[in-house]
Every structure is written in C-alpha cells, then in structure tokens.
Amino acid sequence: MRLTAALLLLLALPLAAEPYYPPAGQWATAAPASLNVDEQKLADAVAYAIASENPASKDQAIVQATTFGAREPYDQIIGPMGVRAAANGLIIYRGKVIAQWGEVDSVDMTHSIAKTFLTTVTGLAWQRGLIRDLQDRVGPYMPHGVALYQGEHNSQIRWDHLLRQTSDWQGTLWGKPDWADRPEGKTPADWPNRPLRTPGSHYKYNDVRINLLALSTLYVWRKPLPEVLNEQIMQPIGASSTWRWYGYDNSWIELDGQRVQSVSGGGHWGGGIFINAWDLARFGYLFLRDGQWQGQQLVSRDWIRLASTGGVNPEYGFANWFLNPGRKALPSAPESAITFQGAGRNIIYLDREHDLLMVARWIGNGDELNQLVAKVLAALPQ
C-alpha cells in the first residue's frame, strides 16, 4: 500500500503533548521566563491586583447590610456568612502556576460563583438523562404535592429559563418573595405589583429564582447537591476537602424520608459555596480543558457549548457564565473570554485563546478586572 506525501508528513509530526492536570494537593509551578512570560510585567500585574482590593468591609454580613440590605425588604440573613481574607489569587498559564498572591488557602464565601457550580450540577442531571430536554417544562418533573410551578404563569417555565435567569417565576421561597430581590418600581408600594413577563422573554438576575433551580434540581437528583458535586466533579478534579456548600436555616425539606438541605446559589442572604482559590482554579481549569480531566469527560462538551451561548442577554449564558461579545464587558480580553463572577468581587477568568486561567478574589467592582486582564496579557508572549 502506498502512502501519500501528506500522510507521510502527518506521521512524521510529533504527537501533541497531553495537557497537564494537577494531582490532588499540588499544582506544578513554572518560572515565568521558562514560558517566555515577561517577569516584570507579571509582577506589575500581581501588584496591581493586590493594590486593587475591594475597599468594602471584610465582614460579609456588614457588606450585606450596607448594600442589598440597605435597598431591599426581607433582607434578613438566613444562612452562614463569613469574614474574608485579603485580596488573593492565582495565574495559571499553559497549565502551570506562574503567579500567586495573598491567602490562596483561605476558605471564603464565593457568592454568585455558586451559581456556576449549581448549573453544572443541573447539567450533570441532563447528561444522565434525569432531565430529558432543557426545553421541557419544569413542573412535570416535580414530585407529588410540590406546588412550585402551578398556575398559568409559572407552569410555562422551562429548564432553560431557570438556567438563563429568564424564568420570571412568581412566588416566595424560603421566606423571600421574588419581587423583593432587586425590586422594580418607583416606590416600595410598586414592588409587589411588578410587571409579569412571559417566561423566557426577559432576563432578570434574581437569587430567589436561582434558589428555585437548586430546589428543582434537588428533587430531580433525589440526593443532596453538595454530594453530587463532590462525587462527580470535586473529587475527580482533586479538590480539597475544605469547601462547603450551604443553604439557609429554613431551607430543609423531607426527601424520601430523609431531612435534606436545599442549597443556595449565592450569598445574597448567606450560604452558598465557601471555598479557597486553589479549588476555584481546579473548577475553572476543568472548563478551560473543555470539561475533561485526565481522559474523563466530566462535563459534556454540548453542555459547555450551551452554557457559553448567550440568550436574551447576549452577555450571559447559563448562570453564572458571563460572556464577552463585542468585547464590551472586558475590552482588554478576547471576545471568547468567559468569567464566572461573584460579589465581592470573586472572579474565575477563562481564556482559551491564551491558555490562561486566572482566579482573582476580592478585587474592586469597577474596571479593575479589565485592567488586571490587560496587564496579565501584556506579560504573555506576543
């Protein structure tokens, strides 16, 4: 059999190196110069991240009381809160740690990055076939006696709507009415009478509805979501044993005869995921590697494609996948860059174009992230 010249050339090429995956408890480092990274510019970027720490109180209960609590009714904290560390983070380039700063081992609230963990667990149910189609209405998946999706309005809600924060669900969950989260209207009297939008037609960031997704996903899995996350994601990627995922004091249900807590998708009223920077980096690195970890496809590529596709809000995929179309959100980053974001400000930055992952915790809420990205990219080989 004769081989073509093109095939002979292909056979002569060296095999592409397998991506590096950090073993549990360690992550390989590389001297910046060994990867042609400008050491001084990288040091400048780290110094900027440290200097750009969010000036708000480190006590997250005080932050809650002076931000959301100052603007919203039903602001009582009903889940764990914490006192955070100072600014900290990691920069991982081509799989290796090239910079770190601050207390990267500190287990702190991660606020709305918990939403990305939540939608991932919902995605695992979809991969397994527990959710057959994201365009299915959610109501029929609920067990007998659970009246979360009754009525002309709420019965229209589909899984995709919950994932994209377009459900416009109306109701009260764990003592928090939907309208009380980022209330709409000119006066407080207007808030309970907010306009109703057809599910799927209007984007609204709303933690009550995210907590509804958590409860609905719990009913589908029929087991605690932290247990699902630990078994199917966190253990395979070598995460530590220090992270925890909390719900609220009153978010306990009886599930198949067992008392189970429905977790929250953020820290708006306390709770959510408490985690360190290393474990956030592992979670982000899983998606930087298209859902694979050491030959295992933990998260479906189809799920990642859906999660990273904008909807009614083109800058928002599934919660909490923040996208960068037109480079409006992050002018310094590629259009393909993705961030998982939480208040405070907690950031996982994914940049496949540069094979770059960054965790930045407690950075300022303004243009600081964009400026940090610009400084880090300037240090990479041009």
Side-chain angles (χ1 to χ4, degrees), residues 252-293:
W252 293 85
I253 65 168
E254 183 175 306
L255 186 67
D256 298 331
Q258 302 294 318
R259 190 167 181 259
V260 174
Q261 189 180 40
S262 184
V263 291
S264 70
H268 194 99
W269 300 289
I273 288 183
F274 287 56
I275 194 168
N276 66 35
W278 290 111
D279 288 343
L280 286 176
R282 286 176 182 271
F283 183 69
Y285 194 70
L286 172 65
F287 292 103
L288 190 71
R289 296 289 177 246
D290 295 319
Q292 283 196 343
W293 199 277

Side-chain angles (χ1 to χ4, degrees), residues 208-362:
V208 175
R209 296 175 193 136
I210 282 292
N211 293 334
L212 175 70
L213 172 62
L215 178 57
S216 301
T217 302
L218 172 60
Y219 278 128
V220 167
W221 269 110
R222 299 176 76 143
K223 62 195 300 188
L225 298 190
E227 184 178 324
V228 176
L229 178 66
N230 190 45
E231 291 175 352
Q232 300 199 28
I233 299 293
M234 302 305 271
Q235 285 187 8
I237 66 176
S240 76
S241 62
T242 63
W243 65 273
R244 290 294 183 271
W245 193 358
Y246 299 104
Y248 303 129
D249 300 338
N250 62 347
S251 65
W252 293 85
I253 65 168
E254 183 175 306
L255 186 67
D256 298 331
Q258 302 294 318
R259 190 167 181 259
V260 174
Q261 189 180 40
S262 184
V263 291
S264 70
H268 194 99
W269 300 289
I273 288 183
F274 287 56
I275 194 168
N276 66 35
W278 290 111
D279 288 343
L280 286 176
R282 286 176 182 271
F283 183 69
Y285 194 70
L286 172 65
F287 292 103
L288 190 71
R289 296 289 177 246
D290 295 319
Q292 283 196 343
W293 199 277
Q294 291 182 327
Q296 287 184 282
Q297 192 71 43
L298 301 181
V299 179
S300 158
R301 284 193 176 94
D302 287 337
W303 181 264
I304 294 172
R305 175 181 54 80
L306 291 168
S308 56
T309 301
V312 173
N313 179 354
E315 296 185 15
Y316 198 79
F318 291 167
N320 234 18
W321 290 65
F322 287 90
L323 313 177
N324 199 31
R327 300 173 66 185
K328 289 185 293 184
L330 291 174
S332 298
E335 191 165 2
S336 60
I338 293 167
T339 51
F340 305 151
Q341 299 192 24
R345 189 182 192 194
N346 286 266
I347 301 292
I348 301 175
Y349 172 84
L350 307 176
D351 186 340
R352 292 191 182 96
E353 187 172 315
H354 296 97
D355 199 0
L356 175 68
L357 170 72
M358 183 162 53
V359 173
R361 308 200 73 181
W362 314 117

Side-chain angles (χ1 to χ4, degrees), residues 28-32 35 37 42 91-93 96-100 356 380:
T29 62
L35 298 174
V37 175
L42 183 64
I91 300 174
I92 295 162
Y93 177 56
K96 306 299 173 57
V97 178
I98 60 170
Q100 67 181 80
L356 175 68
L380 301 186

Side-chain angles (χ1 to χ4, degrees), residues 133-139 149 154-164 166-167 199-200:
D133 191 317
L134 297 183
Q135 297 306 322
D136 283 352
R137 296 189 181 200
V138 184
Y149 296 97
N154 287 346
S155 65
Q156 300 177 62
I157 294 170
R158 304 176 190 273
W159 288 103
D160 186 78
H161 302 157
L162 292 177
L163 290 161
R164 296 187 182 278
T166 62
S167 74

Side-chain angles (χ1 to χ4, degrees), residues 2-77:
R2 299 179 63 185
L3 297 176
T4 65
L7 183 55
L8 286 168
L9 179 61
L10 180 63
L11 291 172
L13 292 174
L15 294 175
E18 284 293 314
Y20 169 78
Y21 291 97
Q26 56 184 294
W27 202 312
T29 62
S34 71
L35 298 174
N36 297 315
V37 175
D38 187 305
E39 294 191 51
Q40 185 55 57
K41 289 181 179 179
L42 183 64
D44 291 344
V46 171
Y48 177 80
I50 296 170
S52 300
E53 180 176 346
N54 191 323
S57 171
K58 290 183 171 62
D59 187 327
Q60 299 302 281
I62 293 176
V63 174
Q64 160 69 15
T66 55
T67 54
F68 292 113
R71 301 189 298 266
E72 297 179 355
Y74 295 89
D75 64 318
Q76 296 88 353
I77 292 170

